Amino acid sequence: MKKLALDDEILLKVEKPARYLGNEYNAVVKDPASVDIRFAMCFPDVYEIGMSYLGIQIIYDMLNRRDDVYCERLYSPWMDLDQIMRERNIPLFALESQDPIKDFDFLAITLQYEMCYTNVLQILDLSQIPLKASERTMEHPFVIGGGPCAYNPEPLADFFDIFYIGEGETVYYELMDCYKLWKKNGGNRRDFLMEAAKIPGIYVPSLYEVSYKEDGTIDAFTPAAASVPEKVKKQVVTDLSNTYYPSNPVVPFIKVTQDRIVLEIQRGCIRGCRFCQAGNVYRPNRERNLEFLKKYAHDMLTSTGHEEISLSSLSSSDYSDLEALTTYLIEEFGQKQGVNISLPSLRIDAFSLDVMRQVQDVRKSSLTFAPEAGSQRMRDIINKGLTEDDIFGGAMQAFKGGWNRVKLYFMLGLPGETYDDIEGIAKLSNEIAALYYTIPKDERPGARVDVVSSTSFFVPKPFTPFQWVPQNTTEQFKDKQHFLSKKMKEQLNRKSMRYNWHDFDLTALEGFLARGDRRVGEVIYKAYKKGCMFDSWSEYFYYDRWTESMEEAGIDPAFYTGRERSLDEILPWDFIDAGVTKEFLWREYTQSKNEAVTPNCRMQCSGCGCRVYEGGVCFEGEN
């Protein structure tokens, strides 16, 4: 039996010791001495969050299929264990073997959101790996970053040896083979990085030089050697029905955020919302075929004992075989085995409501709509593709179908927004509540309706048509939120309405990190040294430490958040070819200013540039 890295005395002192034990059902056990490569896959947040992420399960399964690689997992130790590990000089360890991460060949960290950046430094620090890539020696693992935030890797460039741009199933095997060859032939760290940089989708920050103009914008971004590519091209899986997927996902010991089977039905999105980074960087939209999904639903339920299946997608309603898939899942697993079927990201229409009625306890559940904006003008600006008739029609169908709880999601601070648009959020919420009361009393599912409206604050992201726009200041966000709160209280149906909003300072920091360049790394470093970790957890978010760090680094956050960029400015992420071209994004930005709608990908090709991947929606209907 393996020796645990933490003794019983320590485990009794920490909250949820099962986070650190490993040995979960379906966890992979190999003899470390029998493999050539030790690979640690990390989610830089607490176990319950990280274990809910499908991407790690896919890469874990894929790498462990190789006899020469042992892929293990780790997550951020919670604050209680973090303190003990520092006091007792205990190195961070992998769950499977409980061996120190510093003895591995690779440490790969997924970057799902900007608020995890200081946790990246926590992972490195506790692993006793130098925080700066330039300070690592042959004794240290190569540190890889991937995930959606890697589409602007520059704020973290100092801390990573490699960034993996694109989907994990594509070039990891090639990278492992490259590493084995380097180990066999001998050489220093830079030799391996030079070879790795030749692999499509692999970005090595140390092999690029950045210079700046007097105004602070980027003057040039250049490779340090002729063999290093000027552009790093995003890698995608063209055929999602002929690739890696876990039949035996690891089953957590304790309840996690998404405690269920996750069935990814497609990647990408046809919709083209102009604020949405995922909808752009995950293009083109590609579907998994029905037989693939049926097989994996059966295999994963059998191998895990889970009692719920969740369909994962940016827009599930756009999946071509949704009706056939849900019918199969309900008949095969819902009715026969009592398995719950979860269907997030659905448009509210008659079919969706019929399915949800079959798989949910209507009396206990609420329905979610995401109009994003309070006026049709704003919905056209952001290319939401949703009319007021769609919203009201869906709400009325929901009420008649037995629901009396509705959640509405909106954004404040969108480009071109006026106070009339903001007031439109209150009016729309009120009108949806009013719709409910047009139903005869004896036909209503409850005495009253509960409409919960939530606003997040808009953050411009790389690789979106809004990557050039200024973000609202904290003062502007506060003013807009107070105005909307007041308008909500003025509505006729205010007793049936509730209003929630996002944190102002968290939004300001997210915007700063999202469009930062390499100079922002010094701020992250200083903030971490001041004790910043778990920034997405409100009880551990200290914005004053961040502002102090910005001042000490001589960086004005408004440079990154508060100004409009020009088309000819070199953006920190311009060296990445994400499929969608800069010309397309600028064209969409111009369309937004004209309040013009761009049709979705199935209605008409908008020439975004992603046909180069030769698959998915771009080629539907073609032989």
Side-chain angles (χ1 to χ4, degrees):
M1 200 155 146
K2 71 179 179 186
K3 185 180 186 304
L4 292 174
L6 305 176
D7 60 31
D8 290 347
E9 177 216 345
I10 293 173
L11 290 171
L12 288 170
K13 286 182 177 178
V14 300
E15 179 189 346
K16 300 183 182 177
R19 290 167 168 163
Y20 314 109
L21 298 177
N23 207 34
E24 304 103 319
Y25 192 67
N26 288 338
V28 175
V29 178
K30 293 186 179 183
D31 176 8
S34 70
V35 300
D36 299 317
I37 300 173
R38 303 286 304 275
F39 192 101
M41 190 73 224
C42 172
F43 194 103
D45 207 324
V46 74
Y47 177 90
E48 294 93 306
I49 304 291
M51 273 298 288
S52 303
Y53 173 54
L54 176 64
I56 284 184
Q57 296 265 20
I58 291 175
I59 294 172
Y60 180 81
D61 174 79
M62 177 186 81
L63 289 179
N64 278 320
R65 293 187 190 192
R66 286 181 58 143
D67 293 335
D68 58 349
V69 179
Y70 190 7
C71 180
E72 305 182 48
R73 297 163 296 127
L74 74 151
Y75 306 95
S76 288
W78 190 238
M79 291 301 232
D80 49 6
L81 181 58
D82 177 281
Q83 183 180 345
I84 293 170
M85 294 180 78
R86 292 175 195 275
E87 289 170 354
R88 304 195 185 188
N89 199 33
I90 301 170
L92 189 57
F93 52 90
L95 288 185
E96 279 74 4
S97 65
Q98 303 273 303
D99 289 341
I101 298 300
K102 63 182 178 181
D103 297 336
F104 280 55
D105 298 287
F106 290 97
L107 166 58
I109 305 175
T110 185
L111 305 166
Q112 293 295 309
Y113 35 81
E114 291 82 1
M115 294 303 110
C116 75
Y117 286 1
T118 50
N119 276 50
V120 169
L121 302 195
Q122 177 212 25
I123 294 288
L124 295 172
D125 209 2
L126 290 178
S127 298
Q128 300 174 5
I129 298 168
L131 300 185
K132 300 280 180 78
S134 59
E135 296 170 5
R136 292 175 201 143
T137 70
M138 295 290 285
E139 304 303 311
H140 299 115
F142 288 98
V143 182
I144 305 175
C149 289
Y151 285 97
N152 178 20
E154 291 305 276
L156 293 170
D158 289 345
F159 312 115
F160 283 87
D161 298 294
I162 291 169
F163 285 96
Y164 185 114
I165 310 297
E167 296 172 349
E169 302 96 326
T170 49
V171 297
Y172 258 127
Y173 275 17
E174 195 174 339
L175 186 63
M176 296 301 100
D177 293 339
C178 176
Y179 178 78
K180 284 180 68 175
L181 186 62
W182 169 76
K183 287 279 278 190
K184 178 183 174 184
N185 294 338
N188 58 30
R189 285 180 75 90
R190 185 178 172 86
D191 292 335
F192 170 68
L193 294 173
M194 288 290 290
E195 290 304 308
K198 296 175 185 176
I199 299 172
I202 298 298
Y203 167 52
V204 180
S206 62
L207 300 182
Y208 294 79
E209 295 168 355
V210 191
S211 58
Y212 300 92
K213 297 178 182 177
E214 280 188 23
D215 65 1
T217 59
I218 294 173
D219 182 42
F221 188 94
T222 51
S227 62
V228 178
E230 285 188 16
K231 284 261 187 181
V232 179
K233 186 174 181 179
K234 173 187 80 173
Q235 301 299 296
V236 302
V237 180
T238 305
D239 182 2
L240 280 179
S241 302
N242 186 27
T243 186
Y244 305 98
Y245 204 78
S247 297
N248 307 292
V250 181
V251 181
F253 271 144
I254 57 177
K255 186 167 179 59
V256 298
T257 312
Q258 304 288 333
D259 207 359
R260 54 183 73 103
I261 291 298
V262 178
L263 207 56
E264 185 189 39
I265 59 176
Q266 61 184 355
R267 279 187 198 162
C269 185
I270 64 171
R271 294 284 147 187
C273 296
R274 293 174 180 136
F275 58 83
C276 181
Q277 185 186 49
N280 283 289
V281 299
Y282 294 150
R283 288 183 181 215
N285 180 253
R286 292 147 290 144
E287 299 186 340
R288 297 190 192 271
N289 72 39
L290 192 56
E291 294 311 310
F292 178 100
L293 295 170
K294 286 179 179 180
K295 176 188 183 302
Y296 277 93
H298 177 271
D299 290 352
M300 289 192 292
L301 282 171
T302 302
S303 70
T304 63
H306 276 302
E307 297 176 339
E308 184 171 347
I309 299 176
S310 177
L311 303 187
S312 171
S313 166
L314 290 174
S315 179
S316 299
S317 295
D318 294 320
Y319 176 63
S320 301
D321 284 323
L322 184 64
E323 189 165 356
L325 176 62
T326 51
T327 300
Y328 172 81
L329 294 176
I330 290 167
E331 290 177 355
E332 191 69 21
F333 305 115
Q335 294 169 0
K336 293 179 184 177
Q337 301 178 32
V339 172
N340 292 325
I341 316 295
S342 173
L343 299 156
S345 309
L346 284 178
R347 284 194 305 280
I348 307 301
D349 55 25
F351 164 69
S352 301
L353 290 170
D354 181 54
V355 170
M356 283 185 272
R357 204 177 293 111
Q358 294 181 64
V359 300
Q360 291 181 359
D361 183 341
V362 172
R363 292 167 299 176
K364 293 180 181 176
S365 62
S366 60
L367 283 184
T368 300
F369 296 79
E372 309 293 1
S375 69
Q376 192 58 49
R377 187 186 78 89
M378 275 310 308
R379 285 192 290 277
D380 291 346
I381 287 174
I382 64 176
N383 208 47
K384 180 63 184 172
L386 196 64
T387 67
E388 216 159 75
D389 287 345
D390 296 330
I391 297 165
F392 291 147
M396 183 56 94
Q397 286 190 65
F399 297 149
K400 288 182 175 178
W403 280 269
N404 67 329
R405 280 185 286 278
V406 173
K407 293 178 182 175
L408 303 173
Y409 288 114
F410 300 94
M411 280 186 283
L412 287 176
L414 288 162
E417 177 183 73
T418 68
Y419 279 82
D420 284 344
D421 298 315
I422 297 170
E423 186 175 358
I425 294 173
K427 288 180 176 177
L428 187 63
S429 304
N430 178 68
E431 286 166 4
I432 288 174
L435 263 183
Y436 183 81
Y437 297 114
T438 64
I439 300 171
K441 275 188 179 180
D442 59 341
E443 295 176 22
R444 294 175 197 164
R448 54 185 289 176
V449 69
D450 185 18
V451 177
V452 182
S453 297
S454 300
T455 54
S456 61
F457 298 117
F458 170 65
V459 175
K461 292 291 176 85
F463 293 107
T464 69
F466 293 149
Q467 64 183 356
W468 290 278
V469 306
Q471 182 175 320
N472 279 191
T473 64
T474 299
E475 290 68 32
Q476 287 173 316
F477 281 138
K478 284 181 180 176
D479 188 58
K480 290 178 177 182
Q481 184 272 311
H482 292 320
F483 172 81
L484 178 55
S485 189
K486 178 173 171 286
K487 290 298 175 184
M488 287 284 194
K489 291 168 185 171
E490 292 174 0
Q491 300 304 310
L492 189 63
N493 292 289
R494 58 188 173 276
K495 289 184 179 178
S496 297
M497 296 159 53
R498 285 182 286 150
Y499 173 45
N500 303 321
W501 58 90
H502 199 56
D503 183 275
F504 304 109
D505 292 335
L506 203 67
T507 303
L509 179 59
E510 183 185 343
F512 170 69
L513 296 173
R515 292 190 290 174
D517 53 36
R518 287 195 183 188
R519 294 168 294 190
V520 166
E522 188 62 21
V523 178
I524 299 169
Y525 179 81
K526 287 179 180 296
Y528 171 70
K529 288 296 185 181
K530 291 178 187 292
C532 290
M533 284 186 290
F534 291 101
D535 295 297
S536 59
W537 298 74
S538 56
E539 65 266 44
Y540 292 112
F541 180 55
Y542 303 105
Y543 190 54
D544 56 334
R545 297 179 187 176
W546 279 97
T547 54
E548 286 169 16
S549 301
M550 292 172 196
E551 288 170 17
E552 290 173 14
I555 284 184
D556 177 7
F559 175 79
Y560 298 97
T561 59
R563 64 186 181 87
E564 182 156 8
R565 285 113 170 114
S566 63
L567 176 60
D568 59 0
E569 179 176 336
I570 297 174
L571 304 175
W573 50 90
D574 273 352
F575 69 92
I576 295 174
D577 176 359
V580 288
T581 64
K582 200 170 183 180
E583 293 73 24
F584 164 74
L585 294 173
W586 184 263
R587 192 165 70 241
E588 279 297 288
Y589 181 30
T590 305
Q591 284 278 83
S592 76
K593 289 180 175 180
N594 296 330
E595 301 175 15
V597 172
T598 299
N600 74 57
C601 296
R602 283 211 172 98
M603 292 173 67
Q604 178 184 315
C605 177
S606 56
C608 73
C610 285
R611 275 184 70 90
V612 296
Y613 291 107
E614 299 185 350
V617 68
C618 308
F619 289 82
E620 281 179 6
E622 297 184 19
N623 294 322

